[in-house]
């Protein structure tokens, strides 16, 4: 990108010449193994490409950017500042901020566990997480300072997000720098255990209390490399942070990008004007986002043909044919991945096949909507018949590969969390059967691809048949006038349950139906009837201006069910 | 590539539908870690891209190619055949063949250790390796059957390299298939220990007995991913096997390619006609080779502008400016990497920098000739002052980063061998100081790049000064009429030693100097004088038609020294 602003690094972030990017090794470090740790990536990037742009944070009052050498120095400062503030190995450092790129590296350099907290949570939820995680220090962005309970007993460092002196966070870093001046990286102890905690991310918790997902350094290292490889991210890449870094630790992308020597652009909010400015002017090549965000992108008035191809990595829900087609028209390359916080983000991907080129968009979209197969460095993915909860050491049986029999997706291996923090009972349940139980219901197709049918609680039991709300949504979304749709069960005197659809009309077509909602609903039902078995056709369709969503963009079906219950 | 031959897989290699690519897990397999094992890659490739071409072996009487599904079935057959033949976990399976792609996967699937033996060795050397490794079974190509001692007491399976029935190797596979028919992958035990042996490769041993370098599954997995990432190999790539697979286990590329879903083309010999056929017609995108081979490629009469860019990964010696320029003119993208058998092949790379575009070819070649910096997934690379051999637990001191002070390259971490097999004393020496001691003398430049000066024994002590034979060669090779050059010490009454250069003239210029060797030598010496300090200028220059080389293309300086001693 053309340098969009001037760059004057603070003295505290200018590294001395001849930095040795090597932490202090514990005694008796073996010659022929080293513990996997994603911190290695930024050290290597600073060593090999010191002057390459690492991090750009442009849409703020005082735009900043950091080269890998400067950024690594800031990361070192942060690690020393944390150690100086009393942080010990295994302690949790909470971050409440729109982005936490420094902390992703600096906290693990201090051998502590990064605990990123969703900025969109309520104060009571933040308080719960701070308490449950036993956070030993809090880094908080000025805009979210009110989320920190007043009676909190641990140090709280506020960032004004300026990168300049006068900012308390910068003062904190400068203290670290004073402390480290003569020791450099060699004054920090390398973590000898690759299974030590790396991040502690709380699930969004649509029901019940959020659970703390503890990841390891080994898992983070391997998942980050997988994301870099699967995304074909390299040193010519520029990654735009649309996905918030507090969401499942940014799916390990903060490290994938440093592994690949890519530049990262951070934003304070999902602002489509800024996003399109960067797509068109900053050489962006990669970003991640849920379909909701992708829809916002294609519908933005600034949307136009991209000057360079951009990989749009989609997760959280399957992309619809409409979304795929609109993204491709603009020059995006959609990639559908699937995962959970418990799996470091993606652990499957819908791998496009050579023969897809010969398919119609609808057929291709149907295949791309599948969750696909195991990601690089992930271990096997299975769809199993869920054993009884009380069965001891059950042997898991796979469903037949018929694309019909519904079972539960399970996986295991390095890309599975260490545990639910301080919740051995939930961990035991999640690991029942020697695999991580995703709780997602799916079928296995003959080609070994997995297709999620639903969360178990979202299945609609209509006339004794199991109807997948996701499958219904997928078909309804193929109606060209539908922007977004969500389907839940509504009780029915005859059938037990029947599907009810909540639809947002596409803005381009909304006026057409403005006074004829009834006609649209009729049209919608015919569309469904042509594509779905009778028991899966929505009995009710409601046009709505908005859908209730979690702070991470997931549709809140619990909320829709509440509405339905009152009808 | 256009299908160059028909494909009729033998019944024994047709996998049944619905193969489950999962080995039998040991009891109490953890949910959230799995042992790193490069076997995973081909299983995943067969699962995701069953019909993609995995392996092509075209330049034989009966050309064969295998899709990932077919190849995986053959690998399974091989594993079962080995188990049936009595191979136990940790046993060594020797392979004496031009390529060993099946064995790279099948042997580790049987939890045995692949021991690839250089086909260019003498029978006595092969006998030594078979004996020292304690090989429990030998797979041998028909052309090299004479290398197997007659009195060998272990099973010997001969391959006629036909892929057809009637070939003893195919009969061996078919036996495995009969044994496995109903068990599939689930009948093979997964290796629970990622630090178990993967390969045992014997060093070329220019002096003394060859040493057996034992690698681990973990190291192989991580090195293979590094090679795939550094080479930007992906599912659109086609790798041509010019580097023999028996050379440091093919630098882990047999697995890098399966990790990346790339196609691999194998050759029986380094035949430039075949190589150029594939460059021009088979969509080749990557290959590895020493400079000697690269020179053969650019000088071949069929050399012409490539239809697609090809990454030429160069190791074994630094590429000269001439080589770089000629490769680039044809459309190759040279990449210089450095490593040893003990480091799974490459552990450093000369990373090109953005500012290189502004440099002259000579300046750029000088930088590219450096060995560079640590490879992806490798741990730190240092240049240290060698401690005394008898020092207990020495603390290693780095040389200053001045580009002048000569020290020894050391490294450590996952990309360092497990040990020298059955040689604890050599292992202890190699690991002295808590790092792997490469034995290569180098300087560290201010930017942290490493540049090899010489093997310690190749340094020329001229008038009390240390002259690097490599540095002298690099300068002499910049003479436009020089094709290859090697420099060794020759004793000198006044200076102790002085450099003597052996030069192969470039064929395009050889006739020019045919009757004027004396003039050329004068010209050469002037060229040297303009570029080197006096003590490093060759006192003698000899024009030769060939240079003595090891079977892997390394120049045999011991041989040159023998010649010099007789002068």
């Amino acid at each position: 990108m053309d340098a969009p602003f001037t760059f004057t690094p603070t003295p505290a972030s200018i590294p001395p010449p001849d930095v040795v990017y090597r932490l202090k090794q514990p005694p008796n470090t073996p010659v022929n193994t080293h513990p996997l740790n994603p911190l290695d990536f930024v050290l290597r990037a600073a060593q090999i490409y010191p002057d390459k742009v690492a991090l750009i944070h442009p849409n703020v009052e005082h735009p900043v950017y950091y080269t890998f050498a400067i950024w690594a120095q800031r990361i070192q400062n942060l690690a020393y500042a944390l150690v100086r503030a009393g942080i010990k190995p295994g302690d949790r450092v909470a971050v409440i901020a729109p982005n936490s790129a420094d902390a992703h590296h600096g906290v693990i350099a201090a051998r502590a566990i990064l605990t990123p907290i969703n900025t969109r949570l309520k104060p009571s939820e933040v308080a719960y997480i701070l308490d449950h995680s036993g956070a030993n220090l809090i880094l908080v962005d000025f805009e979210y300072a009110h989320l920190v309970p007043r009676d909190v007993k641990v140090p709280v460092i506020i960032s004004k997000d300026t990168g300049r002196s006068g900012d308390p966070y910068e003062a904190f870093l400068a203290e670290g720098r004073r402390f480290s001046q003569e020791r450099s990286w060699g004054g920090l102890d390398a973590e000898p255990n690759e299974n030590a905690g790396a991040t502690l991310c709380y699930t969004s918790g649509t029901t019940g209390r959020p659970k703390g997902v503890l990841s390891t350094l080994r898992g983070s290292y391997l998942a980050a490399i997988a994301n870099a490889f699967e995304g074909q991210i390299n040193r010519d890449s520029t990654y735009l942070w649309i996905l918030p870094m507090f969401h499942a630790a940014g799916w390990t992308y903060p490290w994938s990008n440093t592994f690949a020597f890519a530049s990262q652009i951070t934003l304070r909010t999902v602002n489509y004007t800024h996003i399109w400015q960067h797509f068109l002017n900053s050489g962006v090549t990669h970003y991640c986002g849920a379909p909701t965000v992708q829809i916002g992108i294609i519908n933005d008035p600034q949307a136009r043909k991209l000057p360079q191809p951009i990989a749009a990595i989609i997760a959280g829900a399957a992309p619809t044919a409409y979304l795929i087609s609109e993204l491709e028209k603009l020059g995006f390359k959609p990639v559908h991945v699937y995962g959970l916080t418990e799996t470091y983000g993606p652990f499957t991907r819908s791998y496009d096949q050579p023969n897809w080129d010969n398919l119609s968009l609808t057929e291709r979209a149907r295949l791309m909507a599948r969750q696909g197969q195991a990601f690089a460095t992930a271990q096997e993915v299975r769809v199993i018949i869920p054993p009884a909860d009380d069965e001891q050491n059950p042997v898991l049986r796979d469903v037949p590969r018929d694309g019909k029999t519904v079972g539960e997706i399970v996986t295991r291996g390095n890309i599975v969390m260490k545990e639910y923090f301080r919740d051995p009972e939930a961990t035991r349940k999640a690991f029942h059967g020697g695999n991580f139980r995703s709780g997602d219901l799916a079928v296995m197709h003959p080609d070994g691809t997995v297709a999620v049918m639903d969360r178990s609680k979202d299945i609609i039991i209509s006339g004794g048949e199991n109807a997948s709300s996701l499958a219904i949504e997928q078909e309804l979304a193929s109606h060209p006038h539908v922007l977004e749709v969500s389907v839940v069960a509504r009780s029915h005197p005859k059938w037990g349950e029947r599907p009810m659809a909540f639809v947002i009309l596409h803005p381009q077509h909304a006026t057409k139906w403005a006074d004829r909602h009834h006609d649209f609903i009729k049209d919608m039902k015919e569309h469904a009837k042509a594509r779905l078995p009778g028991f899966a056709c929505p009995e009710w369709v409601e046009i709505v201006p908005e859908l209730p969503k979690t702070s991470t963009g997931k549709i809140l079906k619990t909320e829709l069910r509440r509405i339905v219950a009152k009808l």
Side-chain angles (χ1 to χ4, degrees), chain A:
Chain A
M1 65 190 290
D2 297 329
F5 35 76
T6 52
F7 176 49
T8 48
T10 57
S13 58
I14 299 170
D18 292 8
V19 181
V20 174
Y21 291 97
R22 184 164 74 239
L23 278 67
K24 189 180 170 195
Q25 299 302 316
N28 302 315
T29 299
V31 173
N32 51 12
T33 50
H34 68 270
L36 303 179
N37 187 331
L39 177 65
D40 287 358
F41 304 150
V42 75
L43 302 182
R44 212 171 135 259
Q47 166 70 64
I48 296 174
Y49 289 111
D51 299 328
K52 188 172 188 299
V53 172
L55 201 64
I56 314 171
H57 189 46
N59 304 111
V60 289
E61 195 182 346
H62 304 297
V64 287
Y65 77 91
Y66 302 116
T67 63
F68 277 112
I70 301 273
W71 190 32
Q73 183 60 57
R74 287 173 61 84
I75 289 166
Q76 187 197 107
N77 298 352
L78 175 56
Y80 274 107
L82 291 170
V83 171
R84 189 164 184 272
I87 293 299
K88 304 257 170 315
D91 279 1
R92 276 76 56 208
V93 173
V95 179
I96 313 171
N99 83 72
S100 53
D102 286 6
H104 258 83
H105 299 82
V107 171
I108 62 172
R111 300 176 62 192
I113 297 169
L114 174 71
T115 306
I117 300 180
N118 190 328
T119 56
R120 296 153 192 169
L121 295 180
K122 284 176 236 152
S124 60
E125 295 171 307
V126 172
Y128 173 80
I129 291 171
L130 290 172
D131 179 60
H132 185 270
S133 68
N136 306 84
L137 187 143
I138 301 166
L139 299 170
V140 62
D141 183 90
F142 72 103
E143 204 180 317
Y144 303 96
H146 64 281
L147 291 175
V148 178
R150 291 196 178 192
D151 59 351
V152 77
K153 291 188 181 58
V154 298
V156 177
I157 314 300
I158 293 176
S159 166
K160 291 189 178 166
D161 203 8
T162 63
R164 298 191 169 199
S165 61
D167 186 324
Y169 173 68
E170 297 298 322
F172 186 65
L173 294 190
E175 273 178 50
R177 180 82 196 113
R178 268 196 294 283
F179 195 61
S180 75
Q181 202 93 38
E182 285 177 17
R183 308 188 189 185
S184 190
W185 290 101
L188 292 166
D189 288 317
E191 172 58 57
N193 176 13
E194 67 185 17
N195 292 311
T199 63
L200 178 59
C201 296
Y202 281 76
T203 55
S204 51
T206 44
T207 53
R209 283 295 201 184
K211 288 196 282 277
V213 175
L214 184 63
S215 80
T216 67
L217 294 168
R218 175 183 167 107
S220 302
Y221 181 100
L222 292 167
I225 289 181
N227 278 313
F229 190 81
E230 294 285 2
Q232 295 280 295
I233 304 175
N234 61 32
R235 61 189 175 181
D236 298 323
S237 304
T238 299
Y239 181 93
L240 180 64
W241 276 101
I242 297 175
L243 169 80
M245 279 187 217
F246 53 70
H247 188 199
W251 308 353
T252 76
Y253 272 86
W255 302 308
S256 305
N257 289 314
T258 51
F259 174 75
F261 311 128
S263 301
Q264 309 190 47
I265 302 176
T266 56
L267 300 170
R268 283 189 64 85
T269 55
V270 177
N271 173 318
Y272 294 109
T273 306
H274 289 163
I275 289 170
W276 272 102
Q277 275 170 7
H278 291 299
F279 284 165
L280 299 174
N281 305 309
S282 307
V284 171
T285 55
H286 293 77
Y287 73 94
C288 301
T292 312
V293 173
Q294 310 279 358
I295 287 169
I297 286 168
I298 57 174
N299 282 333
D300 193 78
Q302 289 163 94
R304 67 203 61 182
K305 184 83 187 160
L306 295 167
Q308 73 286 338
I310 298 181
I313 296 136
I314 307 173
T320 61
Y322 169 75
L323 178 59
I324 292 167
S325 135
E326 292 302 302
L327 284 170
E328 287 179 347
K329 270 185 223 159
L330 295 169
F332 294 97
K333 292 181 182 298
V335 176
H336 179 209
V337 300
Y338 158 75
L340 304 157
T341 304
E342 288 87 339
T343 59
Y344 298 78
F347 74 99
T348 75
R349 170 179 170 182
S350 177
Y351 288 90
D352 48 311
Q353 298 285 337
N355 67 348
W356 287 14
D357 291 346
N358 310 324
L359 300 180
S360 70
L361 173 67
T362 318
E363 285 172 312
R364 195 157 57 86
R366 209 184 293 271
L367 293 171
M368 199 192 281
R370 292 184 189 168
Q371 280 62 32
Q373 307 189 62
F375 220 51
T377 79
Q379 191 58 291
E380 74 223 22
V381 176
R382 297 168 65 184
V383 178
I384 56 109
I385 299 158
D389 286 350
D390 56 358
E391 200 179 333
Q392 295 285 318
N393 304 317
V395 174
L396 301 182
R397 286 185 305 132
D398 295 80
V399 300
R401 294 190 175 197
D402 57 9
K404 285 178 199 158
T405 313
V406 174
E408 182 181 357
I409 298 189
V410 302
T411 188
R412 55 174 205 88
N414 296 314
I415 314 299
V416 169
M417 67 166 179
K418 186 170 187 172
E419 62 185 36
Y420 288 122
F421 189 65
R422 293 180 172 168
D423 198 342
E425 178 54 21
T427 305
R428 198 194 53 74
K429 266 193 194 164
F431 288 178
H432 184 234
N435 277 254
F436 169 67
R437 305 280 299 276
S438 72
D440 280 339
L441 298 183
V443 297
M444 173 77 85
H445 286 278
D447 62 359
T449 55
V450 160
V452 169
M453 302 312 287
D454 235 331
R455 297 291 301 174
S456 41
K457 62 180 180 301
D458 293 337
I459 282 281
I460 301 161
I461 302 168
S462 167
E465 298 279 1
N466 289 331
S468 154
S469 65
L470 278 187
I472 302 169
E473 287 160 9
Q474 191 73 18
E475 293 301 342
L476 300 188
S478 70
H479 189 291
H481 298 179
V482 168
L483 185 65
E484 270 190 283
V485 57
S486 186
V487 171
V488 293
R490 178 171 166 186
S491 67
H492 189 282
K494 182 171 171 193
W495 304 108
E497 291 180 349
R498 268 303 206 227
M500 173 159 187
F502 293 82
V503 174
I504 304 178
L505 285 175
H506 195 290
Q508 280 173 20
H509 302 284
T511 45
K512 179 179 165 189
W513 299 107
D515 302 318
R516 303 190 295 128
H517 275 193
H518 192 76
D519 292 341
F520 173 77
I521 290 165
K522 206 177 137 206
D523 197 58
M524 193 79 248
K525 286 186 175 178
E526 274 163 21
H527 178 88
K529 208 172 282 175
R531 286 164 177 81
L532 289 165
F535 66 86
C537 287
E539 188 87 19
W540 307 274
V541 175
E542 175 120 2
I543 297 168
V544 291
E546 274 302 337
L547 286 165
K549 284 175 188 164
T550 67
S551 53
T552 54
K554 250 189 236 173
I555 293 171
L556 272 168
K557 292 206 172 178
T558 42
E559 195 56 44
L560 292 177
R561 272 191 281 268
R562 222 181 337 251
I563 295 166
V564 159
K566 289 182 196 157
L567 292 173

